[in-house]
Amino acid sequence: MASYLINRALHSIVSVLGLLVLVFFLARLTGDPSYLFLPLDASPEARQEFAQLHGFDQPLYIQFFTYLGDLLHLDFGTSMRQNRSAMEVALEAFPNTLQLAVIAIGLAVVLAIVVGSLSAARPGGLFDRIAGLFSLMGASAPDFWIAIVAILVFAVGFGLLPTSGTGTPLHWIMPIAVLTLRPFGLLVQVVRGSMITALASPYVKTARAKGVGDRSIIFVHALRNSMLPVVTVAGDLAAGLVNGAVVVETVFGWPGIGKLMIDAILQRDFAVVQSTILVTAIAIFLLNIAIDLIYAVLDPRIRYQTS
């Protein structure tokens, strides 16, 4: 397992470096940041001074190698907007995104296991058909559309929930609900299919023959063996939540790393854009490692190859 983890870490470092190279050059295609940070009537001398201050007067390849050299010293650059460490700014926002993602994927997994298992117990029944309809709607509807509808109904229409921001438990309800809906819809189908396969296995038939009750068969005997595909999909969805909370955070004004990333792109705050991408990539890498470890716990037969 140790050699496997080292191998995965090396592959991930290469992937992250490739991503940073891509982000570095794509960010600079957005234009000259002096037009956002200086007044529109700023003189050419003022723009030149701004470029020299931030190193933008250098050729692009020089800027890139300077950035890589600074990374070796754990210098991730300075936010032009906030005039402080870009990594510090990104790390302040990341816990807000992480809390949303953890709660949303946790709720989605628990609800999907319950609903999917009950659907698999009576395939084609009334509960199965209703659950299938709602899970399909949840998996298909775009996050931004659900978020806007939720604001119109629960904030504007009924006045029950705040439209955006943080500060009270009520502020958490709509962002978490919107982020939970899509993973829940997808996971219900995965749990249902995997559970139906498990319930048809010989060991389940043996347990039924011994008089074991339906609840024990589903939630004790079959559940563990049907969890591998669920963990796989849940891991991908969790990575998507960390990486894709951009829309939900922007709609609800949630001060997470997704909203910070959008703001930094619009403000051409290059160092913050690069730091948010780096933090997100490392988080997804650690998440994938955690999923691999869960695999080993669920199925000890799994052996990892370093080749």
Side-chain angles (χ1 to χ4, degrees):
M1 179 62 81
S3 59
Y4 168 78
L5 293 177
I6 292 172
N7 194 42
R8 285 293 303 268
L10 292 176
H11 279 274
S12 298
I13 289 173
V14 173
S15 300
V16 170
L17 287 176
L19 183 63
L20 287 180
V21 172
L22 190 64
V23 170
F24 181 89
F25 288 103
L26 287 179
R28 279 149 182 82
L29 291 177
T30 58
D32 185 352
S34 69
Y35 287 92
L36 292 177
F37 285 86
L38 297 179
L40 292 177
D41 58 350
S43 65
E45 291 76 16
R47 297 194 186 282
Q48 180 64 24
E49 184 180 352
F50 178 88
Q52 289 177 346
L53 177 64
H54 297 285
F56 298 142
D57 60 327
Q58 300 294 319
L60 199 55
Y61 72 92
I62 295 292
Q63 295 181 42
F64 177 66
F65 286 116
T66 301
Y67 171 63
L68 289 184
D70 291 340
L71 281 185
L72 294 177
H73 299 89
L74 300 181
D75 180 358
F76 301 95
T78 301
S79 167
M80 291 183 288
R81 179 65 61 181
Q82 303 190 32
N83 195 28
R84 60 194 183 108
S85 168
M87 181 55 72
E88 183 181 321
V89 174
L91 290 177
E92 280 182 3
F94 183 67
N96 294 326
T97 297
L98 187 63
Q99 292 174 52
L100 275 187
V102 169
I103 295 174
I105 197 64
L107 277 175
V109 169
V110 171
L111 294 174
I113 287 176
V114 174
V115 175
S117 299
L118 294 177
S119 296
R122 299 285 186 275
L126 179 61
F127 182 86
D128 183 33
R129 283 182 284 177
I130 294 175
L133 176 63
F134 279 100
S135 65
L136 184 61
M137 292 170 59
S140 305
D143 287 346
F144 73 89
W145 183 80
I146 299 174
I148 292 172
V149 170
I151 290 175
L152 289 175
V153 174
F154 297 105
V156 179
F158 295 108
L160 298 175
L161 300 171
T163 56
S164 63
T166 59
T168 69
L170 294 178
H171 287 92
W172 290 73
I173 294 176
M174 282 200 289
I176 289 175
V178 173
L179 283 176
T180 300
L181 199 55
R182 180 175 171 77
F184 166 75
L186 294 171
L187 285 171
V188 164
Q189 298 303 317
V190 176
V191 172
R192 179 184 180 276
S194 182
M195 184 64 76
I196 287 176
T197 302
L199 292 176
S201 301
Y203 70 91
V204 171
K205 295 178 180 177
T206 302
R208 288 189 191 279
K210 291 181 178 179
V212 179
D214 286 344
R215 184 174 300 177
S216 296
I217 286 176
I218 293 174
F219 293 107
V220 177
H221 292 77
L223 185 59
R224 181 187 177 103
N225 290 329
S226 61
M227 280 297 99
L228 275 180
V230 178
V231 170
T232 303
V233 177
D236 290 340
L237 293 173
L241 284 182
V242 173
N243 196 34
V246 174
V247 173
V248 173
E249 290 181 358
T250 302
V251 172
F252 290 109
W254 189 265
I257 202 165
K259 184 175 184 301
L260 175 64
M261 189 184 302
I262 292 295
D263 291 344
I265 291 172
L266 294 176
Q267 297 164 356
R268 296 173 190 166
D269 200 345
F270 299 148
V272 175
V273 174
Q274 292 155 186
S275 295
T276 54
I277 296 292
L278 181 61
V279 170
T280 304
I282 292 174
I284 292 175
F285 159 69
L286 294 176
L287 178 64
N288 287 329
I289 292 295
I291 292 169
D292 291 338
L293 295 175
I294 293 174
Y295 279 161
V297 172
L298 289 175
D299 190 350
R301 295 171 300 176
I302 293 178
R303 293 292 180 267
Y304 297 99
Q305 302 295 326
T306 57
S307 61

